């Protein structure tokens, strides 16, 4: 047997799960496979100190299994801190289904996935995410009670996307207040990247306030429809990151703030709905801080969705959902001010609050 000395950066090649940087001390990872339905899914449970791990299911046509695993690990970790910084009695989890939601998603596949969720006996509670609809959650509910975001007609809180968008809107206004001295967005140029369910609703809020909204998306059909509905300008340039706008709102997939883009960004504020916007939290968060760009932590301002579905567990009404989501404004402003005082990144300031809440509960549990 030949032993080789590996560089630390190459450890992932022989330790594809525990050796991943994104593993980050996950409690449990479940790989789900079903030949008959074609289901290939991964459930990540990051932390359950505050409560059961709640997080949506994303269906995406990943390039490979490694990409899917890395995505679910990063997303589930984000859910832990999202619930903690928002003050919810929930842990962090997430699931990904590998495949094309438009062509490969079937009722049978969704029910089989629900059976895997059920096998975890409530340690993980699923919900809607990219590639999913409320009707899919209704199918999952047929085989397990451990699902949220089901139709209001079935006793659920319904589609979380509008509430997510409202939270992002509140967080954006708070970031504008911090940077510009006013939270009035009238006349501000705002580039919204990704106009799915959440992005479109955000465009609606911004348009009604009188902002100059520019939209970008991979779907030309979506661009035309949203532009027509709200009068938004379609971005036709070649490099949106270099666009001279006041606010950049990433609302598609994550890691758009990376080595290639972070020094191009001309916006003075970044506030969007996408998860894991910073490809490297320390490096890219630090660069934004040094450049004077205000970054509203994504796991804080996009927490409206989890607040919405948590209502099904905590049994509070729509008015309370909106009140809690509106409070994202205050929390964001507090964290931005805290980061400024302590000369740390805004992302680190938000993480500090989340981790402190988790540690406090851990001490309570150990008494």
């Amino acid at each position: 047997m030949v032993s080789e000395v590996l560089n630390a950066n190459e450890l992932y090649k022989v330790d594809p799960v525990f050796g991943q940087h994104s593993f980050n001390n996950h409690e449990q990872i479940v790989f789900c496979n079903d030949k008959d339905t074609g289901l290939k899914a991964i459930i990540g449970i990051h932390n359950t100190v505050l409560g059961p791990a709640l997080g949506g299911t994303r269906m995406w046509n990943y390039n490979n299994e490694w990409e899917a695993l890395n995505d679910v690990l990063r997303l589930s970790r984000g859910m832990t801190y999202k619930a903690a910084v928002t003050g919810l009695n929930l842990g962090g989890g997430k699931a990904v289904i590998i495949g094309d939601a438009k062509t490969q998603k079937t009722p049978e596949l969704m029910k089989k996935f629900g059976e895997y969720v059920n096998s975890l006996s409530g340690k993980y509670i699923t919900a809607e995410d990219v590639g999913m609809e409320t009707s899919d959650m209704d199918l999952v509910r047929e085989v397990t009670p451990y699902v949220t975001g089901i139709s209001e007609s079935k006793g659920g809180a319904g589609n979380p996307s509008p509430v997510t968008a409202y939270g992002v809107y509140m967080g954006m206004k708070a970031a504008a207040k911090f940077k510009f001295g006013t939270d009035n967005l009238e006349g501000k140029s705002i580039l919204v990247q990704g106009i799915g369910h959440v992005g479109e609703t955000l465009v609606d809020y911004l348009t009604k306030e009188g902002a100059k909204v520019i939209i970008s998306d991979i779907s030309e059909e979506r661009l035309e429809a949203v532009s027509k509905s709200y009068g938004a300008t379609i971005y036709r340039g070649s490099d949106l990151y270099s666009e001279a706008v006041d606010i950049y709102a990433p609302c598609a997939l994550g890691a758009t703030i990376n080595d290639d883009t972070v020094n191009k960004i001309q916006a003075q504020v970044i506030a969007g709905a996408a998860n894991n916007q910073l490809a490297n939290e320390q490096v890219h968060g630090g660069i934004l801080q040094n450049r004077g760009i205000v970054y509203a932590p994504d796991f804080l301002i996009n927490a409206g969705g989890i607040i919405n579905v948590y209502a099904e567990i905590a049994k509070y009404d729509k008015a309370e959902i909106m009140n809690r989501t509106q409070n994202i404004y205050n929390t964001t402003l507090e964290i931005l001010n805290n980061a400024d005082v302590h000369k740390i990144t805004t992302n680190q300031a938000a993480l500090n609050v989340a981790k402190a809440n988790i540690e406090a509960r851990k001490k309570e549990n150990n008494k």
Side-chain angles (χ1 to χ4, degrees):
M1 182 175 179
V2 179
S3 297
E4 295 182 359
V5 177
L6 293 177
N7 183 288
N9 293 330
E10 296 179 325
L11 283 176
Y12 71 87
K13 295 178 181 177
V14 290
D15 294 318
V17 179
F18 297 109
Q20 282 219 66
H21 176 70
S22 55
F23 177 73
N24 199 255
N25 293 312
H26 271 69
E27 293 179 7
Q28 190 172 359
I29 303 170
V30 182
F31 293 85
C32 316
N33 179 69
D34 182 67
K35 180 181 177 182
D36 292 338
T37 62
L39 175 71
K40 292 186 184 300
I42 309 172
I43 300 172
I45 299 173
H46 179 251
N47 188 289
T48 57
V49 170
L50 294 177
L54 189 150
T57 296
R58 170 174 296 186
M59 187 166 186
W60 190 257
N61 204 15
Y62 295 97
N63 292 319
N64 51 61
E65 294 171 14
W66 178 272
E67 190 176 275
L69 176 60
N70 188 57
D71 200 29
V72 75
L73 292 177
R74 282 172 56 87
L75 290 166
S76 53
R77 172 183 177 270
M79 292 304 297
T80 292
Y81 299 133
K82 184 180 301 190
V85 78
T86 313
L88 304 179
N89 293 319
L90 291 172
K94 205 79 174 183
V96 298
I97 298 175
I98 302 171
D100 188 331
K102 293 181 180 178
T103 60
Q104 295 175 280
K105 184 171 62 178
T106 64
E108 293 75 21
L109 181 142
M110 292 308 306
K111 289 180 183 179
K112 179 57 67 174
F113 173 72
E115 290 176 12
Y116 279 104
V117 172
N118 195 59
S119 72
L120 294 169
S121 303
K123 189 174 184 181
Y124 169 66
I125 301 171
T126 196
E128 180 183 333
D129 199 82
V130 176
M132 291 289 144
E133 304 290 342
T134 304
S135 57
D136 296 316
M137 297 304 102
D138 290 343
L139 287 169
V140 172
R141 175 52 72 88
E142 291 182 20
V143 295
T144 181
Y146 305 121
V147 56
T148 56
I150 60 173
S151 298
E152 293 182 63
S153 61
K154 297 180 182 296
N159 181 6
S161 296
V163 187
T164 301
Y166 183 63
V168 172
Y169 176 56
M170 288 291 102
M172 182 184 292
K173 287 177 73 67
K177 173 73 173 178
F178 180 83
K179 182 65 179 181
F180 307 121
T182 175
D183 62 12
N184 187 351
L185 300 178
E186 184 177 3
K188 290 284 187 290
S189 55
I190 304 174
L191 175 56
V192 180
Q193 181 187 29
I195 46 173
H197 295 315
V198 176
E200 180 178 355
T201 307
L202 179 61
V203 168
D204 186 24
Y205 280 119
L206 298 175
T207 302
K208 286 176 179 175
E209 190 166 340
K212 299 175 183 176
V213 181
I214 306 161
I215 54 175
S216 171
D217 197 273
I218 58 174
S219 170
E220 184 64 30
E221 184 180 353
R222 287 290 299 156
L223 286 170
E224 295 293 344
V226 173
S227 176
K228 184 177 180 180
S229 296
Y230 305 99
T233 301
I234 299 174
Y235 179 72
R236 297 298 188 189
S238 58
D239 186 4
L240 63 85
Y241 303 101
S242 300
E243 192 71 14
V245 295
D246 295 310
I247 300 173
Y248 163 50
C251 295
L253 296 183
T256 58
I257 303 166
N258 51 53
D259 289 342
D260 295 329
T261 64
V262 68
N263 286 303
K264 294 180 180 179
I265 295 172
Q266 298 302 306
Q268 297 179 68
V269 170
I270 299 175
N275 289 306
N276 302 317
Q277 294 167 24
L278 302 172
N280 185 306
E281 293 174 357
Q282 291 78 24
V283 172
H284 302 125
I287 292 173
L288 293 178
Q289 179 188 18
N290 292 336
R291 294 189 61 209
I293 298 172
V294 174
Y295 171 67
D298 52 60
F299 63 89
L300 166 61
I301 71 169
N302 68 11
I306 194 173
I307 291 171
N308 183 73
V309 296
Y310 182 58
E312 295 179 26
I313 300 170
K315 307 300 182 185
Y316 52 77
D317 61 16
K318 199 72 175 180
E320 180 64 14
I321 289 173
M322 299 311 289
N323 285 337
R324 291 187 180 212
T325 305
Q326 187 173 20
N327 194 52
I328 287 174
Y329 179 102
N330 297 322
T331 307
T332 302
L333 207 50
E334 288 172 10
I335 284 174
L336 295 181
N337 282 314
N338 179 274
D340 186 48
V341 169
H342 292 93
K343 306 305 177 188
I344 58 177
T345 68
T346 55
N347 195 76
Q348 189 59 55
L351 280 174
N352 289 349
V353 172
K355 288 179 178 180
N357 288 342
I358 293 170
E359 283 303 311
R361 180 65 62 82
K362 189 182 292 185
K363 289 179 180 178
E364 287 179 21
N365 294 344
N366 291 334
K367 285 182 180 179

